[in-house]
């Protein structure tokens, strides 16, 4: 089992890079934002609660997200192979809860990769971001446009703007979410597994740098089986 935590401020490129890393390692992506948006669309009790926070750019409370995210991690594919975690953990309490859940099974976070981008570039990126209505595939009208305008290359569904990509909400997300993100980065820095990558580069060089960071440290990664055998 290989568990990779992908860190970055809102708009840093986590959703763009997570599928690339997932293909490289042969593991699924678990994205907390996608999970919450699906609940909002379905109108579940969780979705109604989450929407109150997401629409204001605030983090959903730890007690709500930890339970549902860790349930996803117990899913068959992730439990066997591991996963790329996009958007979780976002606070130190979430990081501690993740460590505890993995330790129960003799596992751990193997890599924490931090995509760093300056704030003003993030605000501009999110103004031109579009996602597909069906599956949340990520585009950018300036830096990563679809082949056919306003249509997803992968599933043909229409491209839409996320409601929380309005500039005022983006700035609220930055102000409220970057300080706890830095605490999460410190958590993994202390554990000696944090690697930072320059997210100002174009998408492909960022992918290359993330894969190089994974491969450079994978020699020290033991599988869940090997770890449990100790
Ligand atoms: P979530 O969906 O996770 O949003 P986020 O972390 O704010 O991240 P984004 O999805 O906005 O950005 P990204 O880093 O994935 O960038 P992307 O690849 O799209 O969470 C949404 C909300 O849910 C949160 O605000 C919170 O309320 C709640 N939530 C989620 N998880 C939670 C948790 N654990 N705890 C509590 N609350 C939680 O790229 C952005 C744009 O830039 C795209 O247009 C892309 O094409 C473009 N781009 C990407 N890379 C590059 C590049 N290298 N150069 C140029 N353009 C690029």
């Amino acid at each position: 089992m290989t568990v990779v935590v992908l860190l970055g401020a809102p708009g840093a490129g986590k959703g763009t890079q997570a599928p690339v890393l997932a293909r490289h390692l042969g593991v699924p992506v678990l994205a907390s934002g996608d999970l919450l948006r699906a609940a909002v669309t379905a109108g579940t009790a969780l979705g109604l609660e989450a929407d109150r926070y997401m629409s204001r750019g605030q983090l959903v409370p730890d007690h709500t997200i930890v339970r549902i995210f860790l349930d996803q991690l117990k899913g068959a594919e992730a439990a066997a192979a591991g996963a790329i975690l996009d958007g979780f953990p976002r606070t130190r309490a979430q990081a501690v809860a993740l460590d505890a859940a993995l330790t129960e099974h003799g596992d751990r976070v193997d890599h924490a990769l931090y995509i760093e981008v300056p704030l003003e570039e993030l605000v501009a990126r999110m103004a031109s971001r579009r996602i597909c209505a069906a599956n949340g595939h990520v585009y950018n009208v300036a830096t990563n446009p679809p082949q056919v305008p306003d249509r997803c290359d992968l599933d043909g569904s229409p491209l839409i703007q996320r409601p929380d990509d309005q500039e005022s909400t983006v700035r609220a997300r930055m102000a409220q979410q970057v300080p706890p993100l830095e605490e999460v980065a410190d958590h993994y820095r202390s554990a000696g597994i944090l690697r930072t990558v320059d997210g100002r580069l174009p998408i492909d060089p960022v992918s290359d740098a993330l894969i190089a960071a994974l491969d450079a440290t994978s020699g020290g990664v033991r599988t869940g089986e090997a770890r449990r055998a100790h």
Side-chain angles (χ1 to χ4, degrees), residues 11 14-16 32 37 58 90 129 139-140 173 201:
K14 302 180 298 296
T16 300
S32 51
R37 277 185 289 280
Q58 297 172 348
R90 289 278 244 277
R129 170 165 58 185
Y139 296 87
N140 191 292
R173 287 163 67 192
L201 299 170

